Amino acid sequence: MLVRLWPTIKLSLASLLLMLVVAVPLGMLAAVRRGGIADRLVRGFSFLGISMPNFWFGLLLIWAVALKLGWLPVVSTGQGLDRLILPAATLAFAMIGKYTRQVRTAVLEELGQDYVVGARARGLSERAILTRHVLPNAQLPLITLLGLSLGSLLGGTAVVEVVFSYPGLGNMAVTAVTSYDYPLVQTYVLWIALIYMVINLVVDVSYARLDPRVRRGARS
């Protein structure tokens, strides 16, 4: 079990990192260019990411990137960066659509606050307002989603791991189900539940460090 846990953690973290690198800039771009062509393109891309199943997108990546272009291997053994890219991109694709919308909504809400009007009146540039004020204030709901996403990734990567023959917990759980290994399935469910609880606890504790208003509310 522990041998399979680390590859799944590595895959989950890689997909989250890839998602953040793409979703945060896209969401901010859509919010700043609200109603424009860039906003419409980003929202269309988000809709595509949310609508397309993971296993279908993974198969498309295998066909295009691995078979046609030959850039990356089809089977992922969990060793090496080149064997991690396709599974991580498959998991990140759907999350990019969801997080892009969330970032766009959070940034739009912050852009309508009074402190943004005051910052513009003081002559701050739009980039400084976005990076120094808007994005830090919009991060709290994103952290909640990140905790939930990491927990769901640790327990929900089974389909992608089977598609790419990735040696993680999800692949092990599918093998246990097909071979009627019920004790292993029960152990897997227990481990995922514990990990999910710990992640949510860490997210709740991090609120107090990221938002001073939470600390003041807890003291009062």
Side-chain angles (χ1 to χ4, degrees):
M1 178 72 72
L2 293 177
V3 176
R4 296 294 189 99
L5 178 61
W6 170 241
T8 298
I9 292 177
K10 183 168 61 174
L11 177 60
S12 301
L13 293 177
S15 61
L16 281 178
L17 179 61
L18 179 60
M19 177 273 299
L20 288 174
V21 170
V22 178
V24 172
L26 284 181
M28 295 182 66
L29 174 64
V32 173
R33 306 295 183 185
R34 182 181 181 182
I37 297 177
D39 185 22
R40 295 177 184 178
L41 290 176
V42 170
R43 283 189 292 171
F45 176 74
S46 302
F47 178 78
L48 180 64
I50 294 174
S51 304
M52 186 176 295
N54 273 344
F55 72 91
W56 177 246
F57 184 69
L59 293 175
L60 288 179
L61 285 182
I62 291 175
W63 175 78
V65 179
L67 297 180
K68 291 296 183 180
L69 300 176
W71 290 349
L72 296 170
V74 176
V75 178
S76 178
T77 60
Q79 302 293 330
L81 180 62
D82 59 335
R83 299 181 182 273
L84 188 65
I85 293 177
L86 289 184
T90 302
L91 288 173
F93 183 68
M95 291 192 298
I96 287 172
K98 179 175 67 175
Y99 276 85
T100 299
R101 288 186 173 186
Q102 184 64 36
V103 171
R104 179 182 181 274
T105 302
V107 171
L108 282 176
E109 183 177 351
E110 294 299 325
L111 286 175
Q113 300 297 323
D114 292 337
Y115 72 86
V116 175
V117 178
R120 288 171 176 166
R122 292 195 302 269
L124 291 179
S125 64
E126 289 296 323
R127 176 175 296 181
I129 294 173
L130 286 173
T131 57
R132 298 179 187 176
H133 301 284
V134 173
L135 190 57
N137 288 320
Q139 69 181 347
L140 204 58
L142 298 181
I143 292 174
T144 304
L145 281 179
L146 280 176
L148 295 175
S149 296
L150 181 56
S152 62
L153 281 173
L154 291 175
T157 59
V159 175
V160 174
E161 288 183 1
V162 170
V163 168
F164 291 96
S165 299
Y166 190 82
L169 278 179
N171 202 343
M172 182 201 68
V174 173
T175 304
V177 170
T178 56
S179 60
Y180 302 99
D181 191 349
Y182 296 118
L184 185 57
V185 174
Q186 292 173 343
T187 305
Y188 167 78
V189 172
L190 179 61
W191 266 96
I192 294 303
L194 290 174
I195 293 173
Y196 201 88
M197 291 173 58
V198 171
I199 291 174
N200 282 303
L201 177 61
V202 172
V203 170
D204 290 339
V205 171
S206 67
Y207 284 168
R209 295 187 175 275
L210 295 172
D211 193 343
R213 294 171 296 182
V214 177
R215 288 199 298 270
R216 290 196 295 267
R219 291 171 183 173
S220 62

